[in-house]
């Protein structure tokens, strides 16, 4: 193999129907499906190049041992998927244009970008469905970030974009705390699965919510989608809070943002919220209403805002060999 380098970009996705629980941890298979919207500018850009030794650089600094090992194990997997006994040493340089490990799906965009760039640097050809399956091994939600727009993740471990969606949504992300969260999503969902008395009921609810949310998108029924999305996120967090000991990702400013979004919808603004495994609140709305939503959320204390729109699929930016 010649000396290769490839750069890719991918966007985070925020789930309307959540992924919170695995049925097979070894293969990172979800216990239920999920539904998300890929968002720009929640973006990761990653370069992978054949080098003299393995190295992972994240956000301008050499990555800690844990994240570095996770990325390199994933590249080992890509090589194995291509039928190779070993891979060459690789240098990975990745940068997130939004908070890392803070509950805004940076692992989704990160591993989606690493999948595309890593496969290209290793000269592996694969279609998007296969890339989605591979990305799942790095981070379950990364399977969705291979695609743009509204994306469904299947229980079988691969994702696909939704067709014939009648709603076009953007988002205002209320960033409550930039710091890395104490309990990551992988550990948090496994702890919840093992100890929460609500977990089985949560998985059943996801199955129902997934079908209903897809129908609401096809019907352009924003009010129905809002009810499903908010109910699903509250159920996920209730499930996590009921673990022993409970997981509480929210902060006081999280509740303030939720209250503001609910107030906006009560006043006639078509907006609704979701919260991933972190303190941040994502307010979805049709694009023509985002100015109003952003204006009304701007004065929340202790927060900053990111204006987002539907993002495209993960893509290669360049390659030289």
């Amino acid at each position: 193999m010649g000396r290769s380098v490839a750069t890719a970009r991918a966007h985070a996705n925020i789930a309307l129907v959540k992924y919170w629980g695995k049925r097979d941890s070894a293969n990172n298979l979800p216990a239920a499906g999920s539904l998300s919207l890929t968002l720009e500018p929640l973006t990761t850009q990653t370069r992978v190049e054949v080098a003299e030794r393995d190295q992972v650089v994240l956000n301008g600094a050499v990555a800690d041992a844990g994240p570095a090992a996770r990325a390199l194990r994933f590249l080992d997997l890509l090589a194995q998927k291509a039928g190779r006994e070993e891979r060459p040493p690789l240098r990975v340089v990745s940068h997130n244009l939004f908070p890392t490990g803070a509950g805004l799906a940076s692992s989704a965009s990160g591993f989606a970008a690493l999948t595309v760039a890593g496969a290209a640097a290793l000269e592996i050809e694969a279609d998007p469905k296969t890339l989605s399956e591979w990305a799942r091994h790095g981070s379950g939600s990364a399977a969705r970030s291979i695609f743009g727009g509204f994306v469904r993740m299947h229980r079988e471990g691969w994702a696909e974009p939704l067709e014939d969606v009648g709603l076009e949504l953007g988002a205002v992300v209320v960033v409550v705390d930039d710091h890395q969260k104490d309990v990551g999503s992988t550990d948090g969902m496994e702890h919840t699965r093992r100890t929460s008395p609500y977990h089985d009921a949560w998985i059943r609810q996801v199955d129902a919510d997934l079908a209903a949310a897809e129908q609401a998108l096809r019907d352009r029924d924003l009010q129905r989608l809002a009810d499903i999305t908010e109910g699903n996120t509250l159920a996920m967090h209730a499930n996590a809070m009921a673990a022993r000991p409970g997981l509480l990702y929210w902060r006081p400013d999280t509740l303030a943002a939720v209250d503001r979004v609910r107030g906006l919808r009560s006043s006639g603004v078509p907006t609704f919220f979701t919260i991933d495994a972190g303190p941040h609140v994502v307010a979805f709305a049709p694009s023509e209403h985002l100015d109003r939503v952003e204006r009304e959320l701007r004065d929340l204390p202790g927060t900053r805002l990111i204006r987002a729109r539907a993002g495209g699929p993960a893509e290669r930016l360049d390659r030289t060999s």
Side-chain angles (χ1 to χ4, degrees):
M1 178 184 296
R3 183 177 179 85
S4 295
V5 56
T7 302
R9 173 175 58 204
H11 307 297
N13 66 82
I14 300 296
L16 288 78
V17 176
K18 301 296 188 187
Y19 159 51
W20 193 253
K22 301 176 185 180
R23 61 186 172 88
D24 181 345
S25 295
N27 291 297
N28 224 23
L29 286 168
S34 54
L35 173 67
S36 66
L37 178 60
T38 302
L39 291 177
E40 186 179 353
L42 305 183
T43 303
T44 300
Q45 186 164 309
T46 299
R47 185 176 76 247
V48 178
E49 59 183 326
V50 176
E52 294 183 357
R53 61 183 178 87
D54 285 338
Q55 185 183 50
V56 178
V57 178
L58 178 60
N59 296 331
V62 175
D64 293 339
R70 184 180 177 188
L72 294 171
R73 283 196 304 270
F74 179 74
L75 292 169
D76 290 340
L77 174 69
L78 289 186
Q80 292 167 13
K81 294 290 187 182
R84 297 173 185 162
E85 293 184 0
E86 60 181 21
R87 62 165 176 81
L90 295 172
R91 185 171 190 263
V92 178
V93 180
S94 188
H95 184 71
N96 294 319
L97 303 181
F98 64 106
T100 301
L104 283 174
S106 60
S107 65
S109 56
F111 276 97
L114 184 60
T115 301
V116 174
L122 292 169
E123 300 178 355
I124 299 169
E125 298 291 336
D127 60 26
K129 179 185 175 183
T130 300
L131 291 173
S132 176
E133 290 180 308
W134 291 351
R136 179 198 83 233
H137 289 274
S139 169
S141 54
R144 301 189 305 243
S145 281
I146 293 295
F147 303 100
F150 288 102
V151 180
R152 176 175 181 168
M153 174 76 172
H154 294 274
R155 187 174 181 271
E156 292 74 20
W158 54 279
E160 64 177 338
L162 289 184
E163 305 293 340
D164 301 322
V165 174
L167 286 174
E168 293 185 7
L169 298 178
V172 176
V173 182
V174 182
V175 181
V176 171
D177 185 347
D178 283 356
H179 294 95
Q180 188 165 331
K181 57 193 179 184
D182 294 334
V183 180
S185 295
T186 298
D187 291 340
M189 69 175 67
E190 177 60 16
H191 175 67
T192 303
R193 183 194 67 80
R194 288 188 294 101
T195 67
S196 173
Y198 299 160
H199 190 69
D200 289 343
W202 152 252
I203 296 299
R204 291 193 297 271
Q205 187 62 50
V206 170
D207 290 335
D209 286 345
L210 189 58
E214 289 189 19
Q215 188 62 51
L217 283 170
R218 287 192 292 268
D219 294 342
R220 303 186 182 186
D221 189 341
L222 190 139
Q223 181 60 55
R224 178 65 176 146
L225 184 64
D227 291 341
I228 296 163
T229 300
E230 292 186 355
N232 185 268
T233 197
L234 293 174
M236 187 200 88
H237 283 275
N239 184 27
M241 290 177 194
R244 310 292 174 87
L247 299 175
L248 183 58
Y249 287 107
W250 298 353
R251 301 289 184 269
D253 293 330
T254 306
L255 293 174
V258 166
D259 186 63
R260 187 69 60 87
V261 173
R262 282 181 157 180
L264 277 171
R265 191 160 79 253
S266 295
S267 71
V269 179
T271 184
F272 59 96
F273 72 86
T274 192
I275 309 167
D276 269 5
H280 318 292
V281 176
V282 179
F284 292 109
S287 58
E288 63 268 26
H289 295 278
L290 285 177
D291 285 343
R292 170 75 184 278
V293 173
E294 184 176 15
R295 187 167 62 249
E296 296 294 334
L297 296 175
R298 190 175 293 144
D299 65 344
L300 286 168
T303 68
R304 66 182 179 90
L305 304 182
I306 300 174
R307 176 83 167 258
R309 63 185 182 276
E315 59 181 345
R316 289 178 57 185
L317 299 180
D318 57 62
R319 176 182 174 180
T320 59
S321 299

